[in-house]
Amino acid sequence: MATVDEIEGGQEDPESEDEVYEVVDLTEYARRHQWWSRVFGNNSGPIAEKYSVATQLMMGGVTGWCAGYLFQRVGKIAATAVGGGFLLLQVANHSGYVQVDWKKVEKDVNKAKKHLKKKANKAAPEINTFIEEATDFIKRNIVLSSGFVGGFFLGLAS
């Protein structure tokens, strides 16, 4: 084992001369090499920097129309299922198959209201973070977002 004096005097281990280590700052590396840079390339900044206004409106409009159309179809199916279930329960109640204790239902609904009021005032920090990120995305890509909203309404109407 070499001492500090021997190393400074030039008598260090010959194997240690070949090994050169690079110190990497992980925080700086993570800033420069984000996952989307590996997937989409280094030019994957806000969409407004890469495409024309017409292209952004078209992309937003098409994706919005698809989302609106699917929302409309799924909404109709869900409304039909909930309405049909309610109708069946009413028919069963009227025929005498089901007896509903309305006082217990009212008591449980009031209890649930109080519980929700207490919980509603304490929003989770994850929700606030998500809302901030979504707002930031919309501000950076306002043309794409407005195209999406217009397409979404057209999809709902079709």
Side-chain angles (χ1 to χ4, degrees):
M1 184 108 183
T3 63
V4 174
D5 293 332
E6 291 174 348
I7 292 174
E8 288 177 355
Q11 300 174 351
E12 62 184 77
D13 191 12
E15 292 179 10
S16 66
E17 290 177 13
D18 297 340
E19 297 178 24
V20 176
Y21 296 102
E22 178 184 353
V23 177
V24 177
D25 182 14
L26 290 179
T27 56
E28 185 63 32
Y29 179 82
R31 269 191 224 116
R32 284 185 282 127
H33 297 91
Q34 296 168 340
W35 67 269
W36 57 82
S37 296
R38 289 192 301 270
V39 174
F40 300 112
N42 289 330
N43 290 337
S44 62
I47 224 165
E49 298 173 357
K50 297 192 297 185
Y51 297 105
S52 70
V53 173
T55 305
Q56 292 178 57
L57 279 173
M58 183 191 66
M59 287 172 37
V62 168
T63 55
W65 182 85
C66 291
Y69 185 77
L70 288 175
F71 189 78
Q72 173 204 29
R73 293 295 178 194
V74 170
K76 281 184 179 179
I77 292 170
T80 303
V82 170
F86 184 71
L87 181 66
L88 286 175
L89 279 175
Q90 288 297 327
V91 169
N93 184 29
H94 185 69
S95 300
Y97 290 112
V98 177
Q99 284 291 1
V100 179
D101 186 2
W102 289 108
K103 291 186 189 240
K104 184 169 173 41
V105 170
E106 184 179 358
K107 179 182 163 189
D108 289 344
V109 167
N110 288 333
K111 184 178 176 183
K113 271 192 215 175
K114 289 178 186 175
H115 183 70
L116 284 174
K117 273 189 177 178
K118 287 179 185 177
K119 294 286 184 178
N121 295 334
K122 303 174 191 170
E126 297 87 21
I127 294 172
N128 293 335
T129 304
F130 176 75
I131 290 172
E132 289 172 6
E133 289 176 1
T135 305
D136 186 43
F137 175 81
I138 291 170
K139 285 179 183 176
R140 283 186 287 129
N141 300 301
I142 191 70
V143 176
L144 178 76
S145 302
S146 58
F148 180 86
V149 170
F152 184 81
F153 287 135
L154 286 174
L156 281 179
S158 62

